[in-house]
C-alpha cells in the first residue's frame, strides 16, 4: 500500500468537508468572463482536443482528464474524472477508479469504456499521443464500469503525471468518436464532452465564446452545478498591442498576456482592480554551450562564462523584471522543495551564477585564456583565437534583449563574440544537430527534478540520426547521469528519489553543462471589475496562468461574479 | 466696367511654350539643373542633411547604438535628446546610426533594383520580338502581383534576415515597374531616328545601348532609381516592423520594431517611434521632392506659371 | 471586347505565375524547406501523419514536375491544404472570413482614396496654384512618405488611445454580438465605427499618389486642343472639366490605379495589423510568424487573385470610359 | 459693362467695306524662364466680310499666336499685353468671361491644326457638335441631334456617323467633323489654324474646295493660317506675311505672289518650287529666323537681308506703309523703290 | 537628258521586287501590314531619283530597307550588281554602310541630343577608319563642316544639337552621311520638316554633292514639286506599290497613271492659278492591312475597270524613259 492511496483518502476527505462547510453559502452566479492569452490566431472551428495547438482551450475545460496535478504545490493531485489511482506493488500497473454520475453533455453516461477507448485511440493514432504515454504502456484494461487498469511495459513511476496532464490525455466519448474515421484530422464541430464549457456560442475570426454545460457533474458550494459563470469569451487579438490595450482598459477578466512595464501600463490603469502574478514556475531558460567544441569543452571556461553574465540585467531588462536569476542547479521555484543545499553551497564556492566580471577574468586568466595575439581579445590556451556566436530566435525579443546583454558581458571580459539572430526553423535545427557555439534556449519543468535533468542530460535522447531531442543541446552526457535518471523512475520511494536528485544537482553544479539564466515566468493577470475568486499572490491555490491546462479548470470552478448576473 | 488690361482665358490652364525636346545637360551640369528646381533643391537639402548625419554618425552620437546606457524608457532629456528605449538604449544614437543602414540599404538595394530594371527593361525594349513579348509579360505580371505580400512570403522562406536578404528579396520582387518604364522608353528611343542614324554610321549594338540610348534616359533612370530607393526604405522599415528584419541590427525600421514590441503606444513612449518614423518620412519626402523636380524639369508643362 | 478578352487571358497567366511562384519559392530556397516546415511538429505527429501532410502540400518524393502536378491538382480541387499552426483546420476555413473583411476594408478604402484623389486632382489642375495645388498636395505627399504602419500607429495613438474616439481593434464590437449579424443595425454601425480609422489611414496615405497623378494627367489634358476648343465652344466649366478634360485624364490614372493596387493592398495589410483588424494582413503575418507555410501561400494566392479581379474590374471600367478600347 | 453682342437677324447684311475683324497693334508675350518673348509685336490687320485672309510665315513667327489671341484662347505663359481686337466694333479683349462665352463660337469659331487633337476621343462627334449648339441655344436634344446630322451632311460625312467616335473616322473625316463643329452656329468668322497640315494633298484639296463652297454658301470670313505658301496663295483673298512676330507685308494674294514688296516676302516667294511654269534655280533665304528672346535691333529681318541699308535697317524698325492698292509693306526700301527694279 | 530608266550606265544600287510585310498586333496576331509590294528602284551615280507618295504609302519603308534598317520580306538589294542581303555579317554591313548612307526626315530627332556635333561626325570617321589620329580627325571634321557650310567649324563642332536651328541640324546630318565618303545617299524627306525659307539651301547643297561627288541620291518626298525641282527621275508610289516612273519633267508635264494625274491636280500651285481642271475624287487611301490583289487605287480611280479590282497590273513600258502600272496603257 503506497502513500499515494493515503493521499487520495486525505484529499477526498478534505474535498468533502470543504463542500459541507460551504454548502449553505449563496454564491453570485452568471456572467461572461473575457479571457485573453495575448496575441491569438483566429479560432478555427475545431474542438478536437488532440489537434496540435489551436484547440488548447478544449483541454481541461471542455474535455477533462482523470486527475489534475497542481504545479504550485509540487504536483498535488486534484481528482477529476477519476476519484483515485493506485500503482500495483510491482509498479507494473496503475489502476484508476472513475467518478460515477458524470454525464456527457448529450446526456449519455461517462464510464470506463470511454477511458479505454480514448487510451486505445491514442495507441492506434500515434500522432495524437503527444505525451508519448504509450511508450510506457502495454495495454489498458477495463476492470468494471468504473475501474480501469493501465498495464505498464516497464517501471515508470511518473506515469500518473503524464496521464494526468490534459495536454496529453483528455477523455473523449466513445459513442461519438468511435465512428470517426480519422480522429487526427477530425474537427469535432459539435463537441460532446464532460467539461464545464461545452456549448459553442460563437467561433469566428474575432471571438470564441463557450457557455456552460447544463449537465456538469461538479457542484458549487451553493449546491448547484458549477461553474458559477455562464460563459467564457475569448476575443482574438492579432497582436500584443491591442490585447494589452484591452487589458489596460479593463475589458478583460482572465489574462495570460505578456505585458511590458505592467505596473505602469496595466496596474496603474486601475490599481484597485488590476492584478498580476508572474509565478516563476516555468521551465528555466539557459544559455546552452556546445561542449563538443573548444573552448566550451573546458569546464573552467564554462564556469567563467557563468560568472560573466549580468543575471540581474537579464532578468530586469531582458525579462522586464518579471523573473529572478536562476540558481546553478538548473531547478526553478517549482522544484524548490527538492533543492540540494550542498550543491548550492558548492556553486557559491565556485562563484557560479553570480555576476562578477573580475572573477570571470581571473578564472579565464587562470585557465590560460589570455590575449595571445594582442588584438585585445582572449585566445585559447593553444593560441588559436576565440570567436563565437550567440544564437537567438528572431522575433523572441525578450531573448534577443537577454542575448544582447550577455554578448556585451562576454565582450567586457575579453571574449570576442557576435549575436546570430536566426529564424526559428534554422535555430531549432542548429540546436538539434549541434551546429552552434552558444545559444539561449528553454528547458523542461516538471513536478520533480526528473523532468529537467532527463531533458537536458539523458544521453539516449540523442537519436540514431545524431539529432538531440529534449533539450540535450550542449551534448554533455555521462553514464552516471543516465543511470541515475533511469533509477529515479523505477522507484516510488521519495527518499530515494531525493537522494538521486541531490546527486544530479551536484553533478550539474560541478560540470556546468549549461548556464541557467532565469526560471520562466508564467503570464497571469486578472481584473476584479466583474469576477472574483482568482488565485492571488496571497492565496495562490493553483497556477493562475490560463496557459496551464491542468490549472484553468480549477480556476474556472472557483471564480464567480461579484454580484449575481444570471439572466443578464 | 472697362478693363484696362486685356484678360486671357482661364489663366489657370497651362499651355506649354513650344520648347525643343527636353534639354539634357551632361553630368557636370546635372546638379545645377536639379537645384534650379525649387522642390528638388529642398529635397536635396534634406537628403544631404541625412547623408551628412550618416557619414558623421560616430561623431554626432558616439558610442554603441545598442548599448544599454540608461534606465528603461527615459523621456527625452539633455542626456538623451530622444529619450531611451525600453532596453535603456539611447534613441538618439540609434536614430543617428540607423540613418547609415537605412540609407545604405535604401540606396544599395535601390541601385541593385535599378540595375535589374535597366538590364531587363532595356533588353526587352532593344531586342524586341519574342524576347520582348516574354519579358513584358513577366513585367506586367510582377507589376500586378501584390508586392508586399510576395515580399513577406519570400522573406518568410528565406529565413536569414539581413541587408543582403532584403536586397535580394526586394530586387526579386520589385523590378517590374522600373523595367516597364525603361522598356517603353527604350522602345521609343530604339525607334528614334538618331538610333537608326547611329546604326547607319555602323555603331555596334552595345555602343548604341550605352552611348545613344542610355544617356537619353538619364532622367528617367534617375527618377526610377529614386522611386526604387523610396520603395526600399519604406519596405525595409515595414519588413523590420513586422518582424522579418534582424532585431539586432541598427536601423530605423528596427528601432520602430522595438518600439512596437515594447508597446510604446501603450506606455506612452512616443519618443521611441516618432523620431525614426519622422526620419523615414523625411528621407522619403526629400526623395519624392527630388523626383517631382526631375519630373518638372523633363516635363515643363508641370511647372508652375512662374 | 477583344481588349477585355486579352486582359482576361493576361490575368490567367498572372494567376498562373503566382501559383507557380508559390510552388517554386520554397523549393528554390537554401536548406530543406520541408524540414523547416515540419520542425514544429517535432514529436507531435507520427511519420504517417507527416507523410500525408507532405503530400497535401506537394512535398512528395519524386521529380519536381511530378510534385508540381500534385500541387496543381490539389489547387484545382480547391484544396489549399491544411494549416500548420491550426492543424488540421483547412486553410480555406481560416482565410474566408478574413478575406471578406479585407475586401470590405481595403476595397472601400482604396476606392474612396482613388475617387477623392481624382476629384481633388481635377480641381488642383483646374485651379493651378490654388488651395489644393499649393496646400493639400504637399501635405498629402508628406503623409504619403510615411510608412503605412507608422501612420496607422500614430492614428491609433492619437484617436484611439489618447482621445478614445474610436475603437482600436476588431472589426465589430464582440460585446454587442459575438457573431456577425448584418441584419442588426447596431452591428452595422459598430462595423462602420471600427472600420473608420483604418480606412482613413489607408485613404490618407494613398491619397497623395492619386491626387498628384490625376493632377499631372489633367494638366497634360488641359493643354490639349479639344479642351481649348471645348472652352472656345462656350461650354460650361463643369462640362469642360469633367466630360472633356477629366474623362480623358482619368484613363492613365485608372491604369496606374490597377498597377498600384497590389502595392496599396500590401500597405493596407500592415494597417490591418496595427488596427487589429481581422483581415488577411494579420493572417499573413501570423502565418509568417508561425511558419505556417500553407496558410502563407494561400493568403498570398487569394490576395493575388483578389487583386487580379479588381484589376479586371478596373479594365471593364476603362472600356466603359474609353471607346477606343472597345 | 459690355453686354453680349446682339446677333444680327440676317448676319450677312453687314457692310462689305467695313472690316468684320480689326486687329490693332496686337502685342503678345510669352513669359518663359529664359525671359519674355515678344511673340507678336504691334500687329494690325483687318478682315472684311466674306473674305479669306491668310497669314503666312515660318514656324515660330507668331501666326498661330495671333489666331489664338483673336479667339482669346491663349493660355499662360502667353499674355496679350497690348492692342485691340475689334469685332464689328466691339473689343474682344475687353469682354469678361461670360460675355466671351456667349460671343465665341456664335460669332467666331476656330478649326484647329490637328483634328485628332481637336476632337475629344471619348465622346461621339455628334455629341461634340451638339455640345456647341446646346451651349448657345435652348435647342432640345433631339433638335440639336438633327442639326448635328445636318451639319455632318453639309461637310460631306454620312449623317449616320453621328454616333461614331473620333477614332472610328479617317483623318479626312475627322477634319471635316471639326469644320462641322466650327460651322455649328453659323459664325461670321472662322479661324483656321493649319486645317489640312496632317492630311495628304488629295484630301487637302477636297477639303479646301469644300471650305470654299461653304464660305460661298454661308458667307463667313476666314482667317487662314498655314505654312504652305502655295496653298495660302491659292486659297486666300489677301495675305499677311509675318516675320519674327511682326507683320511685314499685307496684300491681295495675287499681288503678293507676283509683286512682293518686302525682301523677305520676295525671297519667300522664290523659295518653293512649283509644278507648273519654268524649272528654275531657287535659292531660299540664308540664315535662320532669330531667337525672339534677343531679337535683332531695327528691322528683324536685316541679318538675313542682302539689300539691307547699312546703318538704318539695323537701327530703325520700319512701319507698315502703303505701297499700292490694298498693299502694305514694312521695309525701309519700300519708300526708296529700289527693290526689284 | 540621258534616260534614267534605260541608262547606259549600270545602276549602283538597285532594289528588285522588294517587298515588306509587317506583322502587327503582338505575337498572337495574324495581322499583316503590306507596306511595300514588289518595288523596283534603281539609283545611278550622279543622279537623283525621287520617290513621291502620300504618308503611309510605303516610301519610308523602301528607303529603310535600302538602308538595311529593315530586312525585306522578299526581293533583292543589289549594290554594284551584287546581292547584299545575303551577307548579314558585321563586316559586310560595315562595308555596305561605308558606301550607302542615309539622311532622315526630322533633324530634331536624327541627332542624339546628348552628343555634340563633333561626336556625331567623329563616330563614322572612327568606325570606318577614315581618320587614324586626333589631328586627322579634326581635319576631317573641319572639312565636313565646311562642305555643308557650317562655319566657323570649331564653333559648330562644339555645339549640342539643341543649340542649332533645323537647317543647321540637317546640314550636320548631311555632313555625318558624307563622313564615310558614300556613293549613295538615301534622303528621307530631308526638307519637309524645315521652314520654307531654308529648304532650298539644303536641297541645293545636296544637288552640289550630286554633281561634284557623283553621288547617287534617292530622294523620298511627298512634295511632287520639290521632286521636280531636285530629282532627275521620279517614281510615284501609292499604297505600297510604285505605280509610275519617269524622268521628272516628263512626269509633271504628262502624267500617265490616274493617281499621278490626281496628285498633280491636287497640288496647290499659285503659278498655275486655280484654273486647272479638277478631278472629282472620293475616298481615301486604303488600309494596308486589308489590301486585296487588285490595284489599290481602284476604289478611288475615276477610270476604274472591272479587272483593276482583280489583279494589280504589271509594268507597261511606254518609252525607254518611262513606265506605268495601269491597264489603261497596256
Amino acid at each position: 500500500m503506497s502513500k499515494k492511496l493515503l493521499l487520495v483518502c486525505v484529499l477526498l476527505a478534505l474535498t468533502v468537508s470543504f463542500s459541507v462547510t460551504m454548502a449553505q453559502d449563496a454564491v453570485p452566479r452568471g456572467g461572461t468572463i473575457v479571457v485573453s492569452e495575448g496575441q491569438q490566431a483566429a479560432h478555427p472551428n475545431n474542438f478536437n482536443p488532440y489537434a496540435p495547438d489551436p484547440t488548447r482551450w478544449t483541454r481541461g475545460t471542455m474535455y477533462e482528464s482523470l486527475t489534475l496535478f497542481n504545479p504550485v504545490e509540487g504536483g498535488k493531485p486534484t481528482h477529476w474524472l477519476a476519484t483515485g489511482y493506485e500503482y500495483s506493488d510491482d509498479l507494473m500497473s496503475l489502476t484508476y477508479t472513475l467518478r460515477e454520475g458524470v454525464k456527457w453533455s448529450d446526456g449519455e453516461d461517462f464510464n470506463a469504456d470511454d477511458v479505454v477507448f480514448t487510451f486505445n485511440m491514442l495507441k492506434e493514432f500515434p500522432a495524437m499521443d503527444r505525451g508519448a504515454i504509450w511508450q510506457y504502456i502495454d495495454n489498458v484494461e477495463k476492470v468494471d464500469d468504473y475501474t480501469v487498469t493501465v498495464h505498464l511495459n516497464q517501471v515508470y513511476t511518473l506515469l500518473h503525471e503524464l496521464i494526468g496532464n490534459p495536454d496529453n490525455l483528455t477523455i473523449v466519448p466513445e459513442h461519438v468518436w468511435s465512428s470517426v474515421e480519422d480522429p487526427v484530422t477530425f474537427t469535432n464541430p459539435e463537441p460532446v464532452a464532460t467539461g464545464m464549457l461545452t456549448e459553442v456560442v460563437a467561433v469566428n475570426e474575432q471571438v470564441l465564446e463557450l457557455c456552460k454545460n447544463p449537465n456538469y457533474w461538479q457542484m458549487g458550494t451553493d449546491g448547484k452545478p458549477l461553474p458559477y459563470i455562464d460563459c467564457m469569451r475569448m476575443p482574438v487579438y492579432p497582436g500584443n498591442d491591442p490585447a494589452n490595450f484591452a487589458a489596460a482598459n479593463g475589458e478583460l477578466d482572465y489574462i495570460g498576456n505578456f505585458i511590458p512595464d505592467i505596473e505602469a501600463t496595466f496596474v496603474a490603469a486601475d490599481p484597485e482592480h488590476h492584478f498580476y502574478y508572474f509565478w516563476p514556475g516555468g521551465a528555466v531558460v539557459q544559455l546552452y554551450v556546445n561542449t563538443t567544441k573548444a573552448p566550451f569543452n573546458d569546464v573552467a571556461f564554462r564556469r567563467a562564462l557563468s560568472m560573466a553574465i549580468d543575471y540581474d540585467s537579464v532578468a530586469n531588462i531582458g525579462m522586464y523584471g518579471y523573473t529572478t536569476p536562476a540558481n546553478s542547479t538548473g531547478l526553478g521555484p517549482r522544484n524548490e522543495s527538492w533543492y540540494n543545499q550542498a550543491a548550492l553551497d558548492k556553486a557559491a564556492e565556485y562563484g557560479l551564477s553570480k555576476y562578477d566580471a573580475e572573477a570571470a577574468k581571473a578564472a579565464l586568466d587562470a585557465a590560460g585564456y589570455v590575449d595571445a595575439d594582442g588584438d585585445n581579445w582572449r585566445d585559447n590556451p593553444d593560441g588559436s583565437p576565440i570567436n563565437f556566436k550567440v544564437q537567438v530566435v528572431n522575433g523572441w525579443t525578450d531573448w534577443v534583449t537577454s542575448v544582447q546583454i550577455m554578448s556585451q558581458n562576454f565582450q567586457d571580459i575579453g571574449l570576442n563574440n557576435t549575436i546570430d539572430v536566426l529564424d526559428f526553423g534554422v535555430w531549432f535545427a542548429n540546436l538539434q544537430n549541434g551546429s552552434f557555439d552558444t545559444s539561449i534556449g528553454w528547458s523542461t519543468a516538471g513536478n520533480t527534478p526528473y523532468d529537467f535533468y532527463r531533458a537536458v542530460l539523458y544521453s539516449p535522447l540523442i537519436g540514431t540520426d545524431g539529432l538531440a531531442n529534449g533539450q540535450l543541446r550542449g551534448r554533455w552526457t555521462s553514464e552516471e547521469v543516465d543511470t541515475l535518471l533511469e533509477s529515479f523512475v523505477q522507484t516510488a520511494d521519495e527518499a530515494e528519489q531525493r537522494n538521486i536528485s541531490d546527486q544530479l544537482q551536484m553533478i550539474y553544479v560541478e560540470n556546468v553543462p549549461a548556464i541557467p539564466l532565469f526560471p520562466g515566468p508564467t503570464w497571469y493577470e486578472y481584473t476584479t471589475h466583474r469576477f472574483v475568486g482568482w488565485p492571488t499572490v496571497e492565496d495562490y491555490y493553483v497556477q493562475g496562468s490560463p496557459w496551464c491546462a491542468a490549472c484553468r479548470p480549477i480556476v474556472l470552478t472557483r471564480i464567480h461574479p461579484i454580484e449575481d448576473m444570471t439572466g443578464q | 466696367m472697362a478693363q484696362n488690361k486685356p484678360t486671357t482665358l482661364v489663366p489657370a490652364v497651362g499651355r506649354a511654350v513650344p520648347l525643343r525636346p527636353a534639354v539634357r545637360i551632361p553630368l557636370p551640369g546635372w546638379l545645377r539643373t536639379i537645384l534650379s528646381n525649387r522642390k528638388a533643391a529642398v529635397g536635396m537639402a534634406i537628403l544631404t542633411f541625412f547623408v551628412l548625419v550618416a557619414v558623421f554618425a560616430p561623431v554626432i552620437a558616439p558610442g554603441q547604438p545598442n548599448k544599454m546606457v540608461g534606465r528603461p524608457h527615459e523621456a527625452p532629456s539633455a542626456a538623451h535628446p530622444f529619450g531611451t528605449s525600453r532596453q535603456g538604449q539611447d534613441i538618439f544614437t540609434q536614430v543617428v546610426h540607423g540613418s547609415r543602414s537605412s540609407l545604405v540599404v535604401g540606396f544599395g538595394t535601390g541601385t541593385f533594383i535599378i540595375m535589374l530594371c535597366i538590364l531587363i527593361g532595356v533588353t526587352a525594349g532593344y531586342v524586341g520580338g519574342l524576347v520582348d513579348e516574354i519579358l513584358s509579360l513577366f513585367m506586367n505580371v510582377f507589376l500586378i502581383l501584390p508586392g508586399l505580400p510576395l515580399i513577406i512570403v519570400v522573406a518568410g522562406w528565406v529565413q536569414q534576415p539581413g541587408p543582403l536578404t532584403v536586397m535580394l528579396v526586394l530586387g526579386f520582387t520589385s523590378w517590374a515597374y522600373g523595367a516597364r518604364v525603361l522598356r517603353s522608353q527604350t522602345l521609343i528611343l530604339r525607334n528614334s531616328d538618331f538610333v537608326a542614324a547611329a546604326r547607319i554610321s555602323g555603331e555596334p549594338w552595345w555602343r548604341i545601348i550605352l552611348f545613344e540610348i542610355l544617356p537619353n534616359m538619364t532622367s528617367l533612370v534617375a527618377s526610377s532609381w529614386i522611386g526604387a530607393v523610396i520603395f526600399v526604405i519604406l519596405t525595409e522599415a515595414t519588413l523590420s516592423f513586422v518582424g522579418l528584419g534582424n532585431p539586432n541590427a541598427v536601423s530605423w525600421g528596427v528601432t520602430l520594431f522595438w518600439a512596437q514590441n515594447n508597446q510604446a503606444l501603450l506606455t506612452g513612449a512616443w519618443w521611441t517611434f516618432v523620431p525614426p518614423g519622422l526620419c523615414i518620412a523625411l528621407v522619403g519626402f526629400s526623395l519624392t521632392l527630388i523626383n517631382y523636380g526631375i519630373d518638372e524639369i523633363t516635363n515643363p508643362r508641370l511647372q508652375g506659371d512662374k | 471586347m477583344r481588349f477585355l478578352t486579352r486582359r482576361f487571358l493576361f490575368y490567367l497567366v498572372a494567376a498562373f505565375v503566382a501559383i507557380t511562384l508559390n510552388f517554386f519559392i520554397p523549393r528554390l530556397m537554401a536548406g530543406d524547406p520541408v524540414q523547416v516546415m515540419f520542425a514544429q511538429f517535432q514529436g507531435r505527429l507520427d511519420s504517417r501523419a507527416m507523410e500525408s501532410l507532405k503530400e497535401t502540400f506537394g512535398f512528395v518524393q519524386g521529380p519536381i514536375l511530378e510534385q508540381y502536378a500534385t500541387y496543381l491538382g490539389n489547387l484545382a480541387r480547391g484544396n489549399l491544404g491544411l494549416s500548420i499552426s491550426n492543424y488540421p483546420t483547412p486553410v480555406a476555413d481560416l482565410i474566408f472570413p478574413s478575406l471578406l473583411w479585407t475586401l470590405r476594408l481595403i476595397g472601400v478604402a482604396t476606392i474612396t482614396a482613388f475617387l477623392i484623389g481624382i476629384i481633388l486632382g481635377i480641381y488642383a489642375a483646374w485651379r493651378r496654384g490654388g488651395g489644393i495645388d499649393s496646400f493639400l498636395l504637399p501635405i498629402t505627399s508628406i503623409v504619403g512618405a510615411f510608412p503605412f504602419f507608422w501612420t496607422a500607429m500614430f492614428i491609433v495613438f492619437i484617436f484611439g488611445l489618447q482621445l478614445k474616439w474610436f475603437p482600436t481593434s476588431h472589426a465589430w464590437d464582440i460585446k454587442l454580438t459575438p457573431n456577425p449579424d448584418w441584419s442588426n443595425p447596431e452591428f452595422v454601425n459598430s462595423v462602420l465605427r471600427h472600420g473608420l480609422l483604418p480606412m482613413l489611414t489607408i485613404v490618407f496615405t494613398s491619397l497623395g499618389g492619386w491626387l498628384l497623378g490625376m493632377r499631372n494627367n489633367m494638366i497634360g489634358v488641359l493643354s490639349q486642343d479639344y479642351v481649348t476648343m471645348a472652352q472656345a465652344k462656350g461650354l460650361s466649366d463643369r462640362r469642360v472639366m469633367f466630360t472633356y478634360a477629366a474623362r480623358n485624364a482619368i484613363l492613365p490614372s485608372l491604369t496606374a490605379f490597377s498597377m498600384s493596387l497590389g502595392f496599396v493592398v500590401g500597405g493596407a495589410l500592415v494597417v490591418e495589423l496595427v488596427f487589429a483588424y481581422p483581415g488577411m494582413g494579420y493572417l499573413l503575418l501570423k502565418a509568417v510568424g508561425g511558419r505556417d507555410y500553407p496558410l502563407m501561400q494561400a493568403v498570398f494566392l487569394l490576395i493575388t487573385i483578389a487583386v487580379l479581379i479588381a484589376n479586371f474590374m478596373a479594365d471593364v471600367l476603362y472600356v466603359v470610359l474609353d471607346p477606343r478600347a472597345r | 459693362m459690355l453686354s453680349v453682342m446682339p446677333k444680327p437677324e440676317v448676319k450677312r447684311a453687314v457692310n462689305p467695306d467695313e472690316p468684320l475683324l480689326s486687329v490693332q497693334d496686337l502685342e503678345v508675350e510669352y513669359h518663359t524662364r529664359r525671359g519674355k518673348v515678344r511673340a507678336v509685336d504691334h500687329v494690325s490687320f483687318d478682315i472684311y466680310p466674306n473674305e479669306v485672309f491668310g497669314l503666312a510665315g515660318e514656324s515660330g513667327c507668331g501666326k498661330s499666336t495671333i489666331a489664338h489671341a483673336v479667339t482669346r484662347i491663349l493660355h499662360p505663359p502667353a499674355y496679350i499685353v497690348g492692342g485691340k481686337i475689334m469685332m464689328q466694333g466691339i473689343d474682344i479683349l475687353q469682354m469678361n468671361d461670360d460675355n466671351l462665352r456667349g460671343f465665341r463660337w456664335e460669332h467666331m469659331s476656330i478649326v484647329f491644326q490637328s483634328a485628332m487633337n481637336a476632337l475629344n476621343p471619348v465622346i461621339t462627334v455628334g455629341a461634340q457638335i451638339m455640345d456647341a449648339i446646346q451651349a448657345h441655344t435652348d435647342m432640345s436634344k433631339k433638335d440639336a441631334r438633327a442639326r448635328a446630322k445636318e451639319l455632318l451632311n453639309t461637310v460631306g460625312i454620312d449623317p449616320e456617323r453621328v454616333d461614331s467616335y473620333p477614332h472610328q473616322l479617317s483623318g479626312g473625316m475627322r477634319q471635316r467633323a471639326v469644320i462641322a463643329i466650327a460651322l455649328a452656329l453659323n459664325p461670321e468668322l472662322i479661324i483656321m489654324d493649319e486645317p489640312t497640315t496632317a492630311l495628304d494633298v488629295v484630301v487637302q484639296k477636297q477639303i479646301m474646295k469644300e471650305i470654299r463652297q461653304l464660305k460661298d454658301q454661308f458667307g463667313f470670313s476666314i482667317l487662314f493660317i498655314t505654312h504652305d505658301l502655295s496653298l495660302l496663295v491659292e486659297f486666300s483673298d489677301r495675305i499677311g506675311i509675318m516675320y519674327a512676330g511682326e507683320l511685314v507685308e499685307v496684300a491681295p494674294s495675287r499681288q503678293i505672289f507676283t509683286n512682293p514688296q518686302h525682301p523677305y516676302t520676295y525671297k519667300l516667294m522664290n523659295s518653293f518650287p512649283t509644278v507648273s511654269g519654268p524649272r528654275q534655280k531657287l535659292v531660299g533665304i540664308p540664315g535662320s529666323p532669330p531667337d525672339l528672346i534677343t531679337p535683332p535691333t531695327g528691322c528683324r529681318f536685316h541679318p538675313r537681308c542682302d539689300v539691307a541699308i547699312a546703318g538704318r535697317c539695323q537701327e530703325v524698325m520700319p512701319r507698315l506703309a502703303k505701297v499700292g492698292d490694298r498693299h502694305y509693306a514694312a521695309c525701309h526700301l519700300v519708300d526708296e523703290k529700289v527693290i526689284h527694279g | 537628258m540621258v534616260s534614267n530608266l534605260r541608262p547606259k550606265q549600270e545602276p549602283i544600287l538597285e532594289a528588285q521586287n522588294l517587298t515588306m510585310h509587317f506583322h502587327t498586333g503582338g505575337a498572337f496576331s495574324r495581322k499583316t501590314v503590306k507596306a511595300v509590294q514588289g518595288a523596283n528602284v534603281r539609283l545611278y551615280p550622279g543622279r537623283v531619283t525621287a520617290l513621291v507618295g502620300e504618308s503611309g504609302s510605303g516610301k519610308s519603308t523602301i528607303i529603310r530597307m535600302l538602308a538595311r534598317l529593315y530586312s525585306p520580306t522578299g526581293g533583292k538589294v543589289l549594290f554594284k550588281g551584287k546581292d547584299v542581303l545575303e551577307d548579314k555579317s558585321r563586316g559586310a554591313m560595315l562595308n555596305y554602310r561605308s558606301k550607302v548612307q542615309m539622311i532622315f526626315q526630322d533633324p530634331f530627332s536624327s541627332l542624339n541630343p546628348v552628343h555634340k556635333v563633333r561626336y556625331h561626325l567623329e563616330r563614322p570617321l572612327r568606325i570606318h577608319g577614315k581618320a587614324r589620329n586626333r589631328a586627322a580627325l579634326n581635319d576631317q571634321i573641319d572639312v565636313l563642316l565646311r562642305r555643308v557650310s557650317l562655319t566657323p567649324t570649331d564653333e559648330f563642332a562644339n555645339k549640342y544639337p539643341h543649340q542649332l536651328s533645323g537647317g543647321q541640324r540637317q546640314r550636320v546630318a548631311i555632313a555625318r552621311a558624307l563622313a564615310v565618303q558614300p556613293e549613295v545617299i538615301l534622303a528621307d524627306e530631308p526638307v519637309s520638316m524645315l521652314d520654307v525659307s531654308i529648304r532650298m539651301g539644303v536641297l541645293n547643297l545636296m544637288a552640289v554633292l550630286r554633281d561634284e561627288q557623283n553621288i547617287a541620291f534617292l530622294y523620298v518626298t511627298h512634295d511632287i514639286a520639290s521632286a521636280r525641282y531636285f530629282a532627275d527621275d521620279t517614281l510615284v508610289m501609292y499604297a505600297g506599290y510604285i505605280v509610275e516612273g519617269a524622268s521628272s519633267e516628263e512626269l509633271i508635264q504628262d502624267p500617265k497613271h490616274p493617281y499621278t494625274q490626281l496628285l498633280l491636280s491636287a497640288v496647290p500651285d499659285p503659278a498655275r492659278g486655280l484654273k486647272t481642271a479638277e478631278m472629282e475624287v472620293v475616298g481615301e487611301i486604303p488600309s494596308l492591312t486589308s489590301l486585296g490583289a487588285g490595284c489599290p487605287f481602284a476604289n478611288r480611280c475615276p477610270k476604274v475597270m472591272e479587272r483593276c479590282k482583280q489583279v494589280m497590273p504589271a509594268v507597261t513600258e511606254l518609252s525607254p524613259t518611262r513606265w506605268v502600272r495601269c491597264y489603261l496603257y497596256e
Side-chain angles (χ1 to χ4, degrees), chain A residues 510-532:
Chain A
E510 288 281 359
N511 295 289
V512 199
I515 302 164
L517 297 173
F518 49 83
T522 53
W523 309 124
Y524 167 53
E525 303 92 353
Y526 62 98
T527 64
T528 56
H529 297 285
R530 291 167 289 267
F531 298 93
V532 291

Side-chain angles (χ1 to χ4, degrees), chain B residues 68 75 123 134 192 197 207 212 236 290:
Chain B
M68 290 142 198
T123 305
I134 292 170
S192 73
R207 266 198 80 104
E212 306 291 335
E236 192 264 343
I290 295 172

Side-chain angles (χ1 to χ4, degrees), chain A residues 240-241 244-245 248 259-261 265 316-317 320 394-395 397 400-401 404-405 408 419 421-423 426, chain B residues 66-68 73 86-87 89 159-161 243-248 257-258 260-263 265-267:
Chain A
N240 279 325
D241 260 344
N244 294 346
F245 296 155
I259 304 182
D261 293 318
T265 53
N316 289 330
I317 294 177
Y320 296 81
N394 194 7
T397 51
V400 174
T401 309
Q404 285 174 344
I405 295 167
Q408 210 169 308
I419 297 171
V421 183
L422 298 171
D423 186 79
V426 179
Chain B
N66 273 346
K67 192 156 184 141
M68 290 142 198
H73 273 169
R86 178 60 185 71
Q87 285 97 315
Q89 298 147 330
Q159 308 175 347
Q160 282 291 348
L244 288 170
N246 180 351
N248 195 41
F257 165 76
W258 282 104
Q260 157 86 354
N261 200 267
N262 294 317
Q263 253 123 81
L265 296 181
L266 190 67
T267 54

Side-chain angles (χ1 to χ4, degrees), chain A residues 93-185:
Chain A
S93 68
L94 172 61
T95 300
Y96 282 92
T97 314
L98 303 181
R99 192 178 297 277
E100 295 186 37
V102 173
K103 284 195 188 306
W104 293 101
S105 53
D106 61 358
E108 297 261 341
D109 282 333
F110 158 83
N111 62 32
D113 289 332
D114 295 314
V115 177
V116 174
F117 169 79
T118 305
F119 269 101
N120 287 335
M121 179 175 76
L122 264 54
K123 185 183 186 186
E124 190 183 345
F125 299 97
M128 303 174 80
D129 186 8
R130 278 172 299 120
I133 56 179
W134 274 91
Q135 66 179 309
Y136 304 111
I137 299 176
D138 187 58
N139 65 78
V140 179
E141 175 197 1
K142 172 184 174 183
V143 178
D144 60 42
D145 268 359
Y146 292 97
T147 312
V148 171
T149 299
V150 178
H151 295 284
L152 284 75
N153 56 15
Q154 57 182 286
V155 176
Y156 183 68
T157 53
L158 293 176
L159 184 62
H160 59 286
E161 285 195 357
L162 273 188
I163 289 173
N165 186 345
D167 282 332
N168 294 343
L169 182 86
T170 52
I171 308 302
V172 297
E174 183 188 20
H175 65 279
V176 177
W177 285 63
S178 57
S179 57
V180 173
E181 198 176 313
D182 182 6
V184 178
T185 55

Side-chain angles (χ1 to χ4, degrees), chain D residues 80-133:
Chain D
I80 300 171
V81 296
K84 285 179 178 173
I85 299 173
M86 309 298 289
M87 179 86 175
Q88 293 174 333
I90 298 174
D91 190 349
I92 294 170
L93 298 183
Q94 301 297 326
M95 288 183 182
N96 65 20
D97 279 0
D98 281 344
N99 291 340
L100 194 62
R101 182 169 293 160
F103 165 80
R104 217 161 32 197
W105 224 260
E106 197 154 346
H107 299 279
M108 173 201 287
S109 61
I110 180 164
V111 174
F112 283 89
Q113 184 166 13
S114 158
M116 194 66 221
N117 298 337
L119 290 175
N120 184 348
V122 297
I123 58 178
T124 61
V125 287
Q128 298 187 50
I129 300 174
M130 287 157 67
D131 261 350
I133 296 168

Side-chain angles (χ1 to χ4, degrees), chain E residues 196-236:
Chain E
V196 186
S197 70
I198 48 184
R199 283 183 187 174
M200 285 308 118
V202 173
L203 280 187
N204 290 339
L205 167 66
M206 293 198 294
V208 168
L209 296 173
R210 167 193 59 187
D211 296 339
E212 290 182 1
Q213 303 191 359
N214 207 31
I215 293 174
F217 272 91
L218 178 64
Y219 174 59
V220 163
T221 184
H222 66 273
D223 178 7
I224 198 164
S226 74
R228 179 198 183 206
Y229 177 76
F230 176 48
D232 303 289
D233 311 305
T234 298
L235 306 170
V236 178

Side-chain angles (χ1 to χ4, degrees), chain C residues 124-135:
Chain C
W126 191 259
R127 299 250 174 270
R128 290 286 298 279
I132 298 173
D133 204 20
S134 52
F135 198 67

